[in-house]
Amino acid sequence: KKLGIALVGLGGYSTHQLAPALQETKNCYLAGIVTGTPSKAETWKAKYNIPDKNIYNYQNFDQIAENKDIDIVYVVLPNAMHAEYTIRAAKAGKHVICEKPMATSVEDAQRMLEACRQNKVQLAIGYRLHYDPFHQRVMELGQKQVFGKVKSIRAHNGFTMGGPGSWRLDRERSGGGPLMDMGIYCVQGACYTLGKAPVAVTAKFGEVTRPELFSEVEQSISWRMEFEDGVIAECNSSYAEREDFLEGKAEKGWWRLGPSFGYEGKQGETSQGRMNYPNIFEQAWQMDGQAESFRNNNSSIVPGEMGLRDVRILMAIYESARSGGKRVPISYK
Ligand code: NAD
């Protein structure tokens, strides 16, 4: 049986990526929605044929516990709201997919994991690139040392923020600027290239050239992650510049993805030539993979624990940047 997914938060990502992807999935389908906007409920109900009993708002959301059609709650809200809705979904006995970044503090991420444990539901993070063939090849090149030991990594990810008004510029809802939103892909990219997490980070905030937008969160940030065997990853993330690549250098070769982190148009090259992989509908593959792991009671390849690990790294990067570039060791205990 296909598992029923309820999307919580019908913003850009749910509307343009997840709902269309759920028209193509084999292991799961769009069974319900949770929205605070009645007009969206009407539009989605008509477009996707969603029965009234599977439509919730933020007040009556907890009643989803009694709804047998819904197996998975997918939290697609501003970052700071991930914790509350993941915990409420877990208490309702539903498996959870939570968008990245998992949370805006280590404590929230820990509470989310604990709630899922206590309620015996699984938690996966919306890390779609783990299902993408270009990124899977990078994991293989790095972790299996196809070109020998990895020596260094570089990753940049950013876009140009339009005008004001987005929750992404509001610290209370975003937890931070481009690092939380886009830089997390660089953190992920370095970790899955090596199959390891960094032992320490150093970081620096970039210049603010648009103070009217960036009064609460950073405009850009650059950081360096240090891994246990001395491998260094140099990263940058920005809301003022479009940038998008992931590179690795190893003893006997190199690779580069660029565009790398967006939804489509990925390209890749290695020291041996072009990478030839199809551009897939990543979100469909991701949700099918996650639904299958929930159904089989296997742990996901992108579990909540990985989300917590990454929140620890993001928080250490901010700590270093705030201190003016002090080296911050990271403990994962
Ligand atoms: P968005 O602004 O387009 O949508 C946010 C939704 O949350 C809207 O429907 C809004 O009505 C609702 N909402 C409820 N309470 C709100 C509040 N207090 N303030 C603002 N909005 C509120 O954002 P989005 O781009 O859809 O991002 C949502 C989440 O998905 C974020 O965590 C983001 O990081 C993640 N995301 C992930 C990817 C990916 O590729 N994995 C891509 C885009 C977004």
Side-chain angles (χ1 to χ4, degrees):
K1 145 181 183 288
K2 283 190 173 189
L3 299 187
I5 292 194
L7 294 175
V8 187
L10 308 180
Y13 195 52
S14 286
T15 304
H16 302 299
Q17 303 298 326
L18 298 178
L22 283 165
Q23 307 314 301
E24 300 196 3
T25 42
K26 298 177 193 69
N27 300 330
C28 51
Y29 74 104
L30 179 59
I33 50 177
V34 184
T35 175
T37 315
S39 61
K40 281 191 201 165
E42 283 310 309
T43 314
W44 281 64
K45 173 182 158 175
K47 183 162 185 189
Y48 294 114
N49 206 9
I50 299 170
D52 281 319
K53 69 177 183 58
N54 293 0
I55 300 177
Y56 295 85
N57 58 43
Y58 298 118
Q59 286 71 43
N60 66 16
F61 169 63
D62 307 281
Q63 294 168 15
I64 208 165
E66 280 106 61
N67 192 327
K68 293 225 165 24
D69 291 351
I70 312 294
D71 304 287
I72 302 169
V73 167
Y74 194 155
V75 180
V76 203
L77 290 163
N79 305 340
M81 300 172 74
H82 293 177
E84 178 188 343
Y85 284 87
T86 296
I87 292 169
R88 285 169 70 178
K91 287 187 176 156
K94 306 300 179 184
H95 297 305
V96 186
I97 305 174
C98 175
E99 258 316 317
K100 44 56 64 176
M102 178 176 172
T104 54
S105 71
V106 169
E107 294 70 29
D108 274 357
Q110 286 170 327
R111 289 194 300 121
M112 293 157 80
L113 277 167
E114 188 50 34
C116 291
R117 245 178 248 131
Q118 274 180 7
N119 291 284
K120 300 190 169 50
V121 297
Q122 299 198 53
L123 172 59
I125 309 301
Y127 287 141
R128 59 186 162 77
L129 294 176
H130 288 253
Y131 299 86
D132 179 89
F134 287 91
H135 289 265
Q136 287 172 342
R137 179 63 177 155
V138 165
M139 294 173 200
E140 187 176 59
L141 291 171
Q143 296 181 28
K144 301 215 167 121
Q145 305 192 352
V146 173
F147 295 135
K149 273 192 146 164
V150 179
K151 302 183 72 151
S152 65
I153 295 167
R154 282 179 72 224
H156 286 202
N157 196 20
F159 70 91
T160 308
M161 181 63 71
S166 167
W167 61 264
R168 287 181 164 81
L169 299 172
D170 170 17
R171 169 173 302 278
E172 209 170 304
R173 285 177 293 171
S174 60
L179 177 65
M180 297 296 278
D181 195 32
M182 306 298 281
I184 188 169
Y185 288 94
C186 305
V187 167
Q188 272 268 307
C191 293
Y192 58 67
T193 298
L194 294 166
K196 287 182 187 158
V199 294
V201 293
T202 53
K204 228 178 91 190
F205 291 123
E207 205 192 335
V208 180
T209 59
R210 299 177 76 192
E212 72 285 7
L213 296 186
F214 301 104
S215 58
E216 296 194 13
V217 303
E218 77 278 5
Q219 177 175 317
S220 69
I221 183 165
S222 56
W223 72 100
R224 161 191 266 255
M225 294 188 277
E226 191 185 310
F227 291 83
E228 108 207 308
D229 34 14
V231 181
I232 297 291
E234 297 273 8
C235 304
N236 193 74
S237 184
S238 174
Y239 272 163
E241 188 189 352
R242 166 133 198 87
E243 42 178 8
D244 178 5
F245 68 83
L246 172 63
E247 290 177 356
K249 287 206 175 92
E251 289 165 323
K252 293 178 284 185
W254 54 266
W255 52 91
R256 178 186 166 91
L257 301 184
S260 171
F261 301 117
Y263 310 139
E264 46 200 34
K266 290 189 187 60
Q267 293 192 36
E269 205 183 338
T270 77
S271 42
Q272 296 184 334
R274 257 179 77 85
M275 288 185 184
N276 274 314
Y277 297 112
N279 274 280
I280 59 163
F281 200 162
E282 257 161 32
Q283 288 83 359
W285 286 57
Q286 171 212 322
M287 289 186 280
D288 265 342
Q290 289 168 328
E292 186 171 79
S293 72
F294 293 159
R295 199 161 52 192
N296 300 335
N297 237 354
N298 290 330
S299 78
S300 164
I301 59 170
V302 286
E305 286 77 6
M306 180 184 280
L308 166 63
R309 176 200 74 182
D310 294 346
V311 173
R312 288 188 196 281
I313 300 169
L314 298 174
M315 294 304 127
I317 293 169
Y318 278 134
E319 186 185 334
S320 173
R322 279 196 305 268
S323 78
K326 183 173 65 103
R327 179 178 182 277
V328 176
I330 308 175
S331 154
Y332 295 94
K333 280 194 223 73

